[in-house]
């Protein structure tokens, strides 16, 4: 069976063709599970493919799904990738009856290596350093994120501020995660055994690491103490006492690109809990400490850190790595996400213009296909979601899309069925029939109108809302208007205008009033927007009026502006009686 790789609803690969999982094992196909594959082994939803791989390993419960991030800057949508990818797999496994923990590690014992150009406040709004205590960052370069004051002065540390942003984003999208602090794991001794394992076999660790890192030599010790004098992370270990579980160190300089973070030169002793493993070792150590069964990650890790993690897991820690899933990055407006360049969007920003289910739909699409999230054309994403939703209810003649929708839609719209501990709270198929989705650009047109009752009337006039539409569906449908309005304002597009509730105080000469009256007659006959647009040109010529002046008069009547959207098409969207009355200067 072949499938269109360019389809906006690209389906998962055949389970029987999954091949190598990236860790050297071939899992084959698991039969008899929920969301069962077709006879040819094809699954409509990629999360089922991953769940098959996890289930084939016969994991202990709770099954642990992990993601992680170093809290280095703005918590943007790209950071949310691992959370939402893991969520779909977690929900499929819960549907199959498993207890699942979805954890997300904040790698907050990492040192702050450079000052970010932008930060996000507690509401997820991006701000510049001029709006915070930037000195709290500058004075603490080289220190763990948990040892750096919150530049907003609200939480106990910079790390806690960042973790709270990610937790809030997960809550906004109804995804249950359990935030885990690396600093706390070290402090409680969870990493003690991992550190002992690494430091007791330096030759073996160096042998593995040297394949992946040039800086590994016979003097390299993979442990980074926190200096007791200045609080910075140092990379120079001078002695190891495995019985006492301590290391001797000297606080030396840390090179960060072309810059250097100066050490204080202090010589001291640190326990295993007063330092950290380098990240290449810390990642597989997390798999061991947290009993991780599945972890998605971006393609940047696929060629370097994942192979080294697999090697270290097996040959240093003596464990099997979790089931991996490499996902493609998405671009934003055709450009790579970049906090430093300012090309980011946060979850709160996106939820200003999209319903949560549309955001979840974006991430439910196949993760191995690169995609662009273009805020300027966000209406196209909404249109695809609406079609996906209609396919679930059997209203689209597209078998592949329908099969995908039948499987994935409940996970996209229903939100989570359980808390972070994996306790089920409701069935996955909690979806509501009768939901009404106003076309996004039509909702943007309604956003030009302030009066809620008038918005509803216009939606009724266009047939989107009927007398049989339940009140909850009417209310839900009209919520999209505010989203579309926010989109128009953010992008300053053709819908960023406001229809005047009252007739503007304008006066026209006799030729213009006659032309407006003739146009009113044409509209009253019931023509559509395209016909009205063409008629405006004819009417202007018939009355000897400049076309631009005639359009300007129309804009003045409806917007009290001299320009606006394609006027005839816009008028075709409005209530006919209202348009006729306004053209006649009556209301």
């Amino acid at each position: 069976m072949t499938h269109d790789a360019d389809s906006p609803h690209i389906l998962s690969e055949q389970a029987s063709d999954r091949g190598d999982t990236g860790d050297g094992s071939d899992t084959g196909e698991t039969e008899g599970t929920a969301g069962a594959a077709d006879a040819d082994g094809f699954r409509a939803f990629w999360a089922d493919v991953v769940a098959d791989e996890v289930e084939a390993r016969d994991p202990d419960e709770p099954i642990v799904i992990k993601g992680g991030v170093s809290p280095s800057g703005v918590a943007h949508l790209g950071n949310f990738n691992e959370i939402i990818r893991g969520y779909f797999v977690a929900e499929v496994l819960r549907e199959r009856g498993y207890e699942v923990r979805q954890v997300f590690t904040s790698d907050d014992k990492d040192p702050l290596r450079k000052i970010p150009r932008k930060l996000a406040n507690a509401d997820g709004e991006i701000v510049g350093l001029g709006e915070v205590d930037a000195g709290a960052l500058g004075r603490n370069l080289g220190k763990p994120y948990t040892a750096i004051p919150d530049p907003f002065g609200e939480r106990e540390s910079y790390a806690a501020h960042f973790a709270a942003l990610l937790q809030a984003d997960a809550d906004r999208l109804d995804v249950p995660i359990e935030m885990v602090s690396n600093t706390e794991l070290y402090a409680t001794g969870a990493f003690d055994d991992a550190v002992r394992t690494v430091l007791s076999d330096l030759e073996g660790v160096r042998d593995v690491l040297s394949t992946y890192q040039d800086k590994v030599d016979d003097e390299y010790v993979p442990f980074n103490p926190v200096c007791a004098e200045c609080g910075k992370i140092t990379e120079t270990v001078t002695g190891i006492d495995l019985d006492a579980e301590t290391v001797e160190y000297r606080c030396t300089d840390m090179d960060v690109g072309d810059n250097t973070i100066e050490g204080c030169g202090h010589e001291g002793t640190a326990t295993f809990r007063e330092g950290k493993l380098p990240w290449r070792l810390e990642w597989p150590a997390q798999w061991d400490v947290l009993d991780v069964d599945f972890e998605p990650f971006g393609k940047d890790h696929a060629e370097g850190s994942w192979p080294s993690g697999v090697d270290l897991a097996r040959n240093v820690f003596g464990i099997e790595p979790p089931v991996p899933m490499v996902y493609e990055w998405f671009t934003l407006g055709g450009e790579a996400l970049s906090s430093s360049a300012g090309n980011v969007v946060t979850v709160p920003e996106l939820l200003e213009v999209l319903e949560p289910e549309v955001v979840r739909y974006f991430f439910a699409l196949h993760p191995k296909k690169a995609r662009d999230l273009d805020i300027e054309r966000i209406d196209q994403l909404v249109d695809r979601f609406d079609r996906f939703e209609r396919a679930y209810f059997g209203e689209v003649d597209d078998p592949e899309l329908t099969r995908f929708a039948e499987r994935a839609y409940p996970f996209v719209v229903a939100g989570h069925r359980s808390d972070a501990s994996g306790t089920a709270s409701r069935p996955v198929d909690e979806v509501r029939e009768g939901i009404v989705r106003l076309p996004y650009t039509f909702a943007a047109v309604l956003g030009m109108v302030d009066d809620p009752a008038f918005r509803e009337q216009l939606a009724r006039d266009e047939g989107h809302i009927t007398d049989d539409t339940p009140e909850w569906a009417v209310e839900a449908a009209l919520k999209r208007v505010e989203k579309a309005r926010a989109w128009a304002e953010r992008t300053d597009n053709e819908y960023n205008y406001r229809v005047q509730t009252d007739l503007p105080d304008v006066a026209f000469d006799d030729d213009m009033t006659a032309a407006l009256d003739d146009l009113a007659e044409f509209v009253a006959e019931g023509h559509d927007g395209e016909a009205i647009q063409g008629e405006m040109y004819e009417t202007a010529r018939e009355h000897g009026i400049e076309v631009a002046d005639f359009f300007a008069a129309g804009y003045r009547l409806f917007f009290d502006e001299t320009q606006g959207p394609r006027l005839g098409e816009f008028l075709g969207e409005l209530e006919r009686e209202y348009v006729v009355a306004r053209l006649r200067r009556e209301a």
Side-chain angles (χ1 to χ4, degrees), residues 217-426:
D217 55 27
D218 292 341
E219 303 299 319
Y220 178 67
V221 178
F223 187 73
N224 305 141
V226 177
C227 178
E229 186 69 21
C230 69
K232 296 177 183 177
I233 294 283
T234 183
E235 299 175 342
T236 304
V237 173
T238 58
I240 301 170
D241 187 334
L242 292 174
D243 292 333
E245 296 190 336
T246 61
V247 299
E248 304 295 321
Y249 67 87
R250 184 172 64 256
C251 186
T252 55
D253 296 348
M254 179 190 301
D255 292 328
V256 181
D258 296 330
N259 299 318
T260 298
I261 299 174
E262 294 184 356
C264 71
H266 174 72
E267 296 184 6
T269 302
T271 69
F272 289 179
R273 301 183 185 187
E274 294 171 336
K276 69 180 297 293
L277 294 168
W279 67 270
R280 279 192 186 268
L281 284 155
E282 193 172 71
W283 194 20
Q286 287 175 339
W287 300 337
D288 192 16
V289 168
L290 297 171
D291 294 322
V292 179
D293 296 293
F294 165 64
E295 180 160 5
F297 48 85
K299 65 178 183 179
D300 54 326
H301 289 303
E303 295 183 0
S305 47
W306 170 252
S308 71
V310 170
D311 203 345
L312 290 162
R314 289 177 174 154
N315 296 305
V316 173
F317 296 108
I319 63 170
E320 279 299 302
V323 171
M325 185 190 76
V326 180
Y327 57 78
E328 271 283 350
W329 297 328
F330 65 88
T331 52
L332 184 62
E335 301 291 334
L337 290 171
S338 171
S339 297
S340 59
N343 193 46
V344 295
V345 63
T346 65
V347 170
E349 285 179 328
L350 200 57
L351 290 178
E352 289 178 0
V353 300
L354 293 175
E355 295 103 331
E357 53 266 39
V358 181
V359 179
R360 289 196 291 266
Y361 163 76
F362 178 78
F363 287 105
L365 299 171
H366 200 290
K368 293 184 180 180
K369 178 176 173 59
R371 300 182 188 281
D372 184 54
L373 182 65
D374 188 351
I375 303 298
E376 298 279 344
R377 300 304 306 159
I378 208 72
D379 55 309
Q380 295 177 353
L381 173 63
V382 179
D383 289 347
R384 289 196 295 272
F385 165 79
D386 290 351
R387 188 167 183 264
F388 164 78
E389 184 172 63
R390 291 196 304 274
Y392 175 80
F393 291 106
E395 299 170 8
V396 175
D397 185 17
D398 185 331
E400 285 191 355
L401 175 60
T402 298
R403 181 163 53 172
F404 171 53
E406 287 175 346
R407 181 62 185 139
Y409 178 77
F411 297 105
V412 167
V413 299
H416 72 81
R417 303 174 298 110
S418 49
D419 59 25
S421 68
T423 303
S425 59
R426 60 181 173 78

Side-chain angles (χ1 to χ4, degrees), residues 56-344:
R57 294 191 177 190
D58 192 23
D60 294 331
E61 295 185 70
I63 294 174
V64 177
I65 291 173
K66 185 184 108 52
V69 68
S70 182
S72 57
V74 174
H76 54 72
L77 193 66
N79 300 134
F80 204 73
N81 250 320
E82 291 177 30
I83 293 177
I84 193 69
R85 306 293 190 190
Y87 158 77
F88 287 118
V89 177
E91 289 296 90
V92 167
L93 288 167
R94 287 173 181 138
E95 182 194 47
R96 298 182 184 186
Y98 292 100
E99 180 185 355
V100 181
R101 284 180 68 202
Q102 185 176 354
V103 302
F104 199 78
T105 56
S106 176
D107 298 340
D108 51 22
K109 206 164 187 179
D110 291 357
L112 174 64
R113 296 177 178 271
K114 63 180 180 179
I115 301 175
R117 297 183 184 181
K118 300 285 186 180
L119 295 172
N121 64 22
D123 295 323
E125 300 166 336
I126 297 177
V127 300
L129 294 182
E131 301 179 52
V132 301
D133 179 10
L137 300 175
R139 292 188 298 271
N140 291 284
L141 285 171
K143 295 182 181 180
Y145 289 107
T146 41
I148 299 172
D150 178 8
F152 294 90
E154 297 173 351
R155 294 193 175 267
E156 61 269 27
S157 69
Y158 179 94
H161 172 82
F162 190 91
L165 293 178
L166 285 173
Q167 181 67 66
D169 286 347
D171 293 343
R172 290 182 179 101
L173 287 172
D174 209 15
V175 175
I177 61 170
E178 181 183 339
M179 291 297 299
V180 175
S181 163
N182 258 4
T183 298
E184 293 180 8
L185 289 177
Y186 280 106
T188 60
F191 276 113
D192 283 357
D193 288 344
V195 174
R196 171 180 285 277
T197 296
V198 169
L199 297 184
S200 62
D201 183 20
L202 288 177
E203 185 176 345
V205 173
R206 289 167 183 159
D207 184 57
V208 175
L209 281 177
S210 63
T211 304
Y212 308 96
Q213 291 181 292
D214 294 334
K215 72 175 184 178
V216 176
D217 55 27
D218 292 341
E219 303 299 319
Y220 178 67
V221 178
F223 187 73
N224 305 141
V226 177
C227 178
E229 186 69 21
C230 69
K232 296 177 183 177
I233 294 283
T234 183
E235 299 175 342
T236 304
V237 173
T238 58
I240 301 170
D241 187 334
L242 292 174
D243 292 333
E245 296 190 336
T246 61
V247 299
E248 304 295 321
Y249 67 87
R250 184 172 64 256
C251 186
T252 55
D253 296 348
M254 179 190 301
D255 292 328
V256 181
D258 296 330
N259 299 318
T260 298
I261 299 174
E262 294 184 356
C264 71
H266 174 72
E267 296 184 6
T269 302
T271 69
F272 289 179
R273 301 183 185 187
E274 294 171 336
K276 69 180 297 293
L277 294 168
W279 67 270
R280 279 192 186 268
L281 284 155
E282 193 172 71
W283 194 20
Q286 287 175 339
W287 300 337
D288 192 16
V289 168
L290 297 171
D291 294 322
V292 179
D293 296 293
F294 165 64
E295 180 160 5
F297 48 85
K299 65 178 183 179
D300 54 326
H301 289 303
E303 295 183 0
S305 47
W306 170 252
S308 71
V310 170
D311 203 345
L312 290 162
R314 289 177 174 154
N315 296 305
V316 173
F317 296 108
I319 63 170
E320 279 299 302
V323 171
M325 185 190 76
V326 180
Y327 57 78
E328 271 283 350
W329 297 328
F330 65 88
T331 52
L332 184 62
E335 301 291 334
L337 290 171
S338 171
S339 297
S340 59
N343 193 46
V344 295

Side-chain angles (χ1 to χ4, degrees), residues 555-586:
Y555 289 131
R556 183 66 70 187
L557 281 175
F558 288 92
F559 303 107
D560 202 13
E561 301 272 359
T562 57
Q563 61 183 6
R566 286 177 59 84
L567 188 59
E569 294 179 7
F570 170 72
L571 297 182
E573 299 279 6
L574 298 180
E575 185 182 28
R576 186 183 310 157
E577 290 76 7
Y578 165 79
V579 174
V580 170
R582 181 59 60 94
L583 289 172
R584 290 172 175 166
R585 288 85 60 210
E586 296 173 352

Side-chain angles (χ1 to χ4, degrees), residues 376 485-497 563:
E376 298 279 344
R485 177 65 199 163
W487 169 65
E489 292 176 346
R490 175 175 177 139
T491 60
D492 192 22
N493 62 23
E494 61 186 301
Y495 303 101
N496 192 20
Y497 295 92
Q563 61 183 6

